[in-house]
Amino acid sequence: DAKTTQPPSMDCAEGRAANLPCNHSTISGNEYVYWYRQIHSQGPQYIIHGLKNNETNEMASLIITEDRKSSTLILPHATLRDTAVYYCIVRFPTSGTYKYIFGTGTRLKVLA
Amino acid sequence: NAGVTQTPKFRVLKTGQSMTLLCAQDMNHEYMYWYRQDPGMGLRLIHYSVGEGTTAKGEVPDGYNVSRLKKQNFLLGLESAAPSQTSVYFCASSYAGGANVLTFGAGSRLTVL
């Protein structure tokens, strides 16, 4: 099963870019990388996903290495409200659907 | 458009009691999932469903049962609650095709005494 590795915690100054790394060296060729975040104990919130190309939306940018073994989530101008646990997830197929394995994520603290 | 709604939000049970958590989605999603999250941990998959009338076991299914009689609802049952089932439970749903982006509910906090 595809697994991901993330640093347990990171700090970022408010207004600066937050770069959150993720290693997914066992990813298969046709599987997406997803990023979610969880603020306090709320339900995880979808941020972005990608397959091979870099992606950008209103929340963040996702940079995927050419060999697809790692990726970086970029929050371009972090705010205090971005303090959360960020999960990098790779899904894998099982019994007609997909399983999403959540690790312990990266706890990002944005500092004033 | 409510998305994914979980009821109840909070519940306290005594050991051995039974209860059912309800998950309802209004996005016409085919797939639905139940996760649990223990303090300081990531989410672990309990059961999932790929369509009405079908369910399957996830990573930690023991002590739980599920049913999906209607496409929009996914029920999680505890027949005989144990303190080890004290947790926050999250329901999620997604379309069957494409990138299957998960939409999560707000969670149900269950305490078993």
Side-chain angles (χ1 to χ4, degrees):
Chain A
D1 298 346
K3 294 181 180 178
T4 62
T5 304
Q6 299 176 254
S9 64
M10 293 180 64
D11 290 341
C12 177
E14 188 177 20
R16 303 295 295 269
N19 296 274
L20 290 84
C22 179
N23 179 288
H24 34 78
S25 58
T26 60
I27 193 172
S28 63
N30 59 348
E31 289 301 338
Y32 290 92
V33 177
Y34 302 79
W35 284 83
Y36 286 77
R37 73 181 182 184
Q38 188 174 27
I39 299 173
H40 297 302
S41 296
Q42 299 175 17
Q45 175 191 23
Y46 166 77
I47 302 173
I48 199 167
H49 72 279
L51 183 61
K52 295 180 180 178
N53 300 320
N54 298 338
E55 302 287 345
T56 296
N57 63 20
E58 65 277 6
M59 290 182 68
S61 294
L62 176 59
I63 308 299
I64 303 174
T65 58
E66 190 170 346
D67 63 7
R68 300 203 341 113
K69 293 184 176 181
S70 65
S71 61
T72 300
L73 177 74
I74 301 173
L75 307 178
H77 305 287
T79 71
L80 298 178
R81 289 176 295 179
D82 292 321
T83 293
V85 178
Y86 288 77
Y87 295 100
C88 168
I89 300 156
V90 176
R91 71 179 187 185
F92 61 95
T94 179
S95 303
T97 183
Y98 296 92
K99 283 186 180 179
Y100 300 77
I101 301 300
F102 286 75
T104 52
T106 295
R107 186 172 297 276
L108 175 69
K109 187 174 183 179
V110 180
L111 306 173
Chain B
N1 190 341
V4 177
T5 302
Q6 294 182 228
T7 53
K9 289 183 170 53
F10 301 94
R11 184 73 186 270
V12 178
L13 289 177
K14 294 181 180 179
T15 298
Q17 286 185 318
S18 63
M19 74 158 297
T20 300
L21 298 177
L22 170 63
C23 176
Q25 53 95 4
D26 61 2
M27 298 169 285
N28 203 33
H29 284 170
E30 291 84 4
Y31 296 167
M32 296 188 74
Y33 307 81
W34 275 107
Y35 289 87
R36 63 176 285 175
Q37 186 175 35
D38 300 319
M41 305 284 288
L43 281 73
R44 292 184 292 169
L45 182 63
I46 306 171
H47 285 280
Y48 61 96
S49 168
V50 299
E52 185 177 323
T54 69
T55 63
K57 295 179 180 180
E59 304 169 79
V60 288
D62 293 343
Y64 305 95
N65 57 75
V66 288
S67 65
R68 190 153 177 218
L69 300 179
K70 294 182 179 181
K71 184 177 184 179
Q72 63 268 33
N73 295 337
F74 195 27
L75 278 65
L76 178 71
L78 287 73
E79 291 186 345
S80 179
S84 60
Q85 294 178 303
T86 293
S87 189
V88 181
Y89 292 85
F90 291 100
C91 176
S93 67
S94 74
Y95 288 114
N100 304 109
V101 172
L102 296 175
T103 300
F104 282 86
S108 297
R109 185 176 296 275
L110 175 65
T111 301
V112 182
L113 303 175

